[in-house]
Amino acid sequence: MNIVLPEESQQDASSAEETSLLVIILDSNPGQKMLRESPHVLTHCVDSVIVFANTHLMQKVQNKLAIMACHSKSSQFIYPDQGKHGDIRQVDGQYEAFTAVEKITKKNLAKVLTSDGSAVITESLLAGAIAMALCYIARLQRTKPPGAKLNCRILVVTGSSCSTSQYMNYMNVFFTAQKQNVVIDVCALDQHLNLLQQGCDITNGLYLKVPQLQGLLQYMMWVFLPEPPIREKLVLPPPLKVDYRAACFCHRQLIDIGYVCSVCLSIFCKFSPICTTCHTVFKMPALPAVKPKKRKKM
Amino acid sequence: MADEDNPKEYRWETGYEKTWEAIKEDDDGFLQASVDDIVQRAKRKRQTLKHGSQKLGMMRHLYLLLDCSESMASQDLKPTRLICTLKLLEMFFDEFFDQNPISQIGIILMQNKRAERVSDLTGNCRKHTKVLGNLGKTNLSGEPSLQNGLEMALSSLKLLPSHASREILVIMGSLTTCDPGDITLTIDSLKSEGVRCSVIGLAAEVRVCRQLADQTNGIYNVILDDSHYKDLLFQQVNPPPAAVCLEASLIKMGFPHQPNNEGSEEPLTMCMCHVDSVDEGSKLTTGGYYCSQCFSKYCELPVECRVCGLTLVSAPHLARSYHHLFPAANYMEVDYSSQTNVCFSCQKPFGEGDKQVYNCPNCKKYFCLDCDIFVHETLHICPGCSTNPLTFQIAVTH
Ligand SMILES: [Zn+2]
Ligand SMILES: [Zn+2]
Ligand SMILES: [Zn+2]
Ligand SMILES: [Zn+2]
Ligand SMILES: [Zn+2]
């Protein structure tokens, strides 16, 4: 359903003005199953993400980076931030920019983690975080110097499960990303994510369920580091078939045959006389092959 | 049409209405910033006029009545009216089927006082694109007959089930129509059948077109130039409010999925869609979509099963049009007085240049003008609401 023509190979002359922006969305919600069972896993993930992010920056001087934390009650950008960081100096001969990514990310993430410690919310609002990332990308596209080319992608790193309560939000961000030529990659750490997998398929991104968390960094380097145009030439995990069945609005179950409201296109698994979404009252289904006899006027 | 993305071409955004009075020099004596501002504000204004939750006709059946008379050879649109029209229609069809996934279009030509149906009602976008490709070589001759065209469309729309939304879009280059009878009678029957007729005029206002659109709740406009033409055409992409006589019903549909049989080789099968096509016959292939009711195979969705008549769609097809029904809440324009340092979603720092910021009534976050437009035109969900557990589902339950 989504045919995107392969980028013509213009790597030679124009490559100087080409910039790659990578927005990483890190699910830091302490309510996700993986972190409830072993909270220390987050440190490992953050370290892997930072090394991965720096490798992206290292590939080309022009490459750009943003990191977001998707937390239980809000999502926010943790790198770059609005603050001034004159105090970050070289450590052990490490390039300052890399040190900055690590310091700023960890500092802001710590702020996020300590900000709300109350009730556990198990659902991570990833669709909203992607919506923010798309607004951010749209701004950079608007303000880039004329003639420059900015290739954008979003990488979601999460151990949450997929929730159908965000279905509409997910679909809106996927279609927007598709329109804006933003690739969505998903790195699932814990559970299979059917909805996000659909997003990868719609936007030509890659979906990977990491088999072993210890190897996270290696998997990320192998699968997600190459730019989308280069990926065609690499040996990557074979694409899985995506299940595009509908979930009914009434029970959130996947169905093969359903009933669709002609006014609002809501999907139901059984016939009901009234649409619960738009409150339209339906006429009863016509009985097949029995034509109503015309009543003669008395 | 080379530089479509150039915002400066949007002169029509404000409809040429005394825009010069609104143009002021900015502090440095430049005009451009204020022109951009007018364009942005016009977009915002149009957006705030849209309301959610009204009943729309989502299952659209639209006949396109295309004038192919001599008048379409005129070169006031480049290279000719017809070629320009066909180019715009190609884009229009793509966008139309993208936003109206289970709708259908048919095409009728008007020339030599006759109407000719070149394409039956179908939801297959590629069929239409093919027809359009051939239309470029049509002989443009004689006068159009609006009445004959309307009658032909009506006779086909009449047969549709009562939940189908019926529409006619007329593209009229000629200033005259040569009709066999009284066209007001035709307009009356269109009205009583609930057919909404819109007209785009390429030359000047014609009284009978105005009458047709007014009587049937359609829109009548005459184009100013080619970008205005595109805008008028693309207004037709949004589903219209449901006609009063439109009945609602629940329609049975199938959601085929490809069976995931790992390991075993998928069998080679024939598809039903190419079975009787002459130029590209049915081949044995793997993959495809199987009807959930009778297991006939199709290459593409959406499609109506040829065997059992079930409409087959995929869930994202339907989801593409949900934003028409559940739009993001309109933001309120408020004066900027350091409520926040940055735009919530795009992180743009607010400064002295920002006299107004935009506030979401549900999540109370502040946004910049660009984000306001992007959210309501493209994204259709509020980034503030959708990142907050208390508000992320608000659109669904209103
Ligand atoms: Zn159900
Ligand atoms: Zn409904
Ligand atoms: Zn069937
Ligand atoms: Zn903004
Ligand atoms: Zn909001």
Side-chain angles (χ1 to χ4, degrees):
Chain A
M1 53 181 296
N2 47 323
I3 303 150
V4 173
L5 296 173
E7 294 253 322
E8 287 146 61
S9 32
Q10 353 152 283
Q11 258 119 352
D12 15 88
S14 58
S15 68
E17 296 103 55
E18 264 190 56
T19 307
S20 291
L21 168 67
L22 170 67
V23 182
I24 301 176
I25 298 175
L26 177 65
D27 187 348
S28 62
N29 182 3
Q32 52 188 313
K33 185 170 146 262
M34 177 184 87
L35 294 185
R36 264 178 308 173
E37 284 163 4
S38 44
H40 64 272
V41 173
L42 185 63
T43 320
H44 173 63
C45 295
V46 172
D47 286 337
S48 304
V49 164
I50 289 175
V51 175
F52 174 77
N54 278 334
T55 317
H56 166 76
L57 288 180
M58 198 155 57
Q59 293 205 307
K60 227 193 233 175
V61 196
Q62 304 96 317
N63 279 3
K64 287 194 167 161
L65 171 74
I67 303 178
M68 291 178 68
C70 177
H71 212 60
S72 48
K73 285 186 188 156
S74 67
S75 289
Q76 62 188 83
F77 283 86
I78 52 177
Y79 177 89
D81 62 3
Q82 301 295 324
K84 299 262 183 296
H85 300 280
D87 53 331
I88 293 172
R89 261 173 280 123
Q90 271 195 356
V91 181
D92 303 334
Q94 195 185 21
Y95 178 43
E96 291 100 322
F98 296 164
T99 319
V101 170
E102 185 171 349
K103 285 249 166 87
I104 296 171
T105 304
K106 285 191 170 165
K107 187 190 78 185
N108 287 326
L109 190 61
K111 260 195 232 164
V112 171
L113 289 173
T114 48
S115 62
D116 51 11
S118 51
V120 177
I121 294 165
T122 50
E123 183 163 6
S124 301
L125 298 179
L126 291 164
I130 297 173
M132 284 175 75
L134 287 169
C135 288
Y136 179 79
I137 288 170
R139 173 167 72 94
L140 295 198
Q141 291 285 15
R142 272 194 302 270
T143 52
K144 71 181 178 198
K149 193 161 182 280
L150 185 62
N151 301 316
C152 303
R153 60 197 168 108
I154 297 172
L155 169 64
V156 181
V157 182
T158 176
S160 299
S161 56
C162 249
S163 126
T164 42
S165 61
Q166 291 182 70
Y167 183 79
M168 216 139 353
N169 293 354
Y170 272 127
M171 287 301 149
N172 278 322
V173 296
F174 295 159
F175 297 139
T176 305
Q178 185 190 31
K179 254 196 183 146
Q180 311 275 316
N181 286 318
V182 175
V183 169
I184 298 181
D185 292 329
V186 173
C187 182
L189 303 178
D190 190 29
Q191 297 160 65
H192 173 64
L193 306 169
N194 173 263
L195 275 177
L196 279 161
Q197 189 194 8
Q198 294 186 17
C200 297
D201 193 47
I202 290 170
T203 63
N204 270 324
L206 288 171
Y207 171 84
L208 176 75
K209 156 91 181 63
V210 175
Q212 274 173 321
L213 208 52
Q214 292 95 316
L216 175 61
L217 184 57
Q218 270 89 338
Y219 284 112
M220 287 175 78
M221 296 286 198
W222 171 40
V223 177
F224 298 116
L225 193 61
E227 300 280 317
I230 304 168
R231 288 177 185 174
E232 290 160 33
K233 298 168 190 118
L234 301 174
V235 183
L236 293 169
L240 296 168
K241 275 184 181 168
V242 186
D243 189 348
Y244 273 122
R245 263 178 306 170
C248 68
F249 284 29
C250 33
H251 309 91
R252 293 286 167 201
Q253 247 151 22
L254 291 177
I255 50 174
D256 287 318
I257 293 183
Y259 295 87
V260 175
C261 168
S262 70
V263 176
C264 71
L265 305 187
S266 298
I267 304 163
F268 303 100
C269 58
K270 286 194 199 75
F271 186 88
S272 79
I274 185 164
C275 172
T276 48
T277 314
C278 68
H279 309 294
T280 299
V281 180
F282 303 119
K283 58 171 191 180
M284 290 308 285
L287 294 171
V290 182
K291 279 183 189 156
K293 282 173 196 160
K294 273 182 193 160
R295 235 180 254 163
K296 276 177 189 160
K297 275 181 193 161
M298 294 289 184
Chain B
M1 303 300 305
D3 44 6
E4 283 171 56
D5 292 323
N6 185 353
K8 277 165 226 149
E9 80 171 335
Y10 294 157
R11 281 166 294 173
W12 39 267
E13 288 279 359
T14 49
Y16 290 121
E17 287 167 319
K18 298 189 180 175
T19 40
W20 54 89
E21 287 183 1
I23 296 177
K24 293 186 187 92
E25 288 179 18
D26 65 12
D27 299 340
D28 303 318
F30 293 115
L31 291 180
Q32 190 51 51
S34 67
V35 172
D36 289 347
D37 204 46
I38 292 171
V39 171
Q40 296 285 60
R41 271 167 214 289
K43 274 190 185 174
R44 220 189 101 75
K45 197 172 156 197
R46 199 179 341 160
Q47 193 55 247
T48 51
L49 293 177
K50 275 190 203 165
H51 296 287
S53 74
Q54 61 178 344
K55 292 192 174 158
L56 302 174
M58 299 300 287
M59 304 210 170
R60 305 175 65 182
H61 295 78
L62 176 93
Y63 262 109
L64 178 77
L65 259 55
L66 183 61
D67 186 351
C68 276
S69 65
E70 270 169 6
S71 65
M72 291 300 280
S74 161
Q75 295 184 346
D76 53 0
L77 292 173
K78 298 297 163 207
T80 65
R81 279 186 187 169
L82 181 73
I83 303 296
C84 178
T85 302
L86 295 178
K87 256 189 188 163
L88 289 176
L89 281 176
E90 203 179 320
M91 289 189 268
F92 168 72
F93 285 162
D94 273 341
E95 189 70 12
F96 181 89
F97 286 113
D98 191 57
Q99 301 285 314
N100 303 277
I102 42 175
S103 297
Q104 302 189 341
I105 291 185
I107 307 174
I108 293 174
L109 303 187
M110 300 182 289
Q111 64 182 158
N112 285 328
K113 302 167 195 159
R114 296 210 335 261
E116 184 196 350
R117 185 179 359 229
V118 286
S119 170
D120 283 320
L121 280 177
T122 164
N124 187 334
C125 186
R126 278 193 307 163
K127 257 187 198 160
H128 291 307
T129 322
K130 224 174 173 182
V131 170
L132 284 184
N134 297 331
L135 283 183
K137 295 164 217 126
T138 329
N139 270 330
L140 299 173
S141 60
E143 259 189 286
S145 166
L146 186 57
Q147 189 183 20
N148 284 338
L150 292 173
E151 290 285 355
M152 181 180 272
L154 178 62
S155 65
S156 159
L157 290 173
K158 252 186 194 167
L159 306 174
L160 295 172
S162 53
H163 61 259
S165 163
R166 304 142 195 225
E167 294 167 68
I168 294 175
L169 172 63
V170 185
I171 293 181
M172 195 76 176
S174 170
L175 290 170
T176 55
T177 158
C178 185
D179 297 331
D182 184 0
I183 194 165
T184 52
L185 297 177
T186 308
I187 295 177
D188 286 343
S189 49
L190 286 166
K191 196 178 162 188
S192 64
E193 289 289 333
V195 182
R196 178 187 151 101
C197 304
S198 293
V199 185
I200 298 179
L202 305 187
E205 176 146 342
V206 178
R207 211 183 75 89
V208 67
C209 294
R210 161 73 58 203
Q211 198 187 344
L212 170 67
D214 286 352
Q215 295 278 310
T216 60
N217 288 320
I219 307 172
Y220 178 45
N221 279 110
V222 177
I223 64 161
L224 301 166
D225 58 13
D226 56 353
S227 54
H228 185 224
Y229 188 7
K230 185 180 173 198
D231 186 47
L232 291 178
L233 200 54
F234 275 59
Q235 273 179 18
Q236 300 289 330
V237 167
N238 292 325
V244 186
C245 57
L246 191 69
E247 263 183 77
S249 58
L250 272 183
I251 297 146
K252 196 174 171 187
M253 286 191 191
F255 302 93
H257 66 285
Q258 295 155 308
N260 213 350
N261 39 357
E262 274 163 60
S264 62
E265 288 266 319
E266 236 189 283
L268 286 164
T269 42
M270 301 258 261
C271 70
M272 288 300 292
C273 22
H274 290 114
V275 96
D276 56 358
S277 125
V278 190
D279 31 323
E280 30 177 348
S282 189
K283 291 188 196 88
L284 283 168
T285 50
T286 60
Y289 303 93
Y290 295 87
C291 171
S292 342
Q293 203 159 254
C294 71
F295 293 102
S296 327
K297 188 174 101 161
Y298 297 91
C299 307
E300 280 182 329
L301 298 179
V303 69
E304 194 179 286
C305 178
R306 290 181 172 210
V307 180
C308 69
L310 190 68
T311 303
L312 306 175
V313 293
S314 78
H317 274 129
L318 297 182
R320 270 179 197 274
S321 50
Y322 286 152
H323 71 82
H324 294 304
L325 301 142
F326 311 109
N330 282 323
Y331 294 166
M332 280 157 329
E333 191 175 73
V334 288
D335 288 333
Y336 181 59
S337 54
S338 305
Q339 291 97 333
T340 165
N341 298 330
V342 292
C343 165
F344 176 78
S345 52
C346 76
Q347 307 295 300
K348 177 189 141 171
F350 288 133
E352 287 176 13
D354 300 276
K355 294 192 179 68
Q356 274 98 28
V357 287
Y358 300 85
N359 187 227
C360 171
N362 297 325
C363 66
K364 312 284 185 231
K365 301 281 190 225
Y366 291 95
F367 300 89
C368 66
L369 176 60
D370 288 318
C371 280
D372 179 11
I373 291 167
F374 182 67
V375 163
H376 293 98
E377 266 193 359
T378 312
L379 196 53
H380 305 299
I381 56 166
C382 169
C385 294
S386 55
T387 48
N388 185 334
L390 301 174
T391 48
F392 79 97
Q393 274 189 306
I394 242 167
V396 189
T397 49
H398 72 222

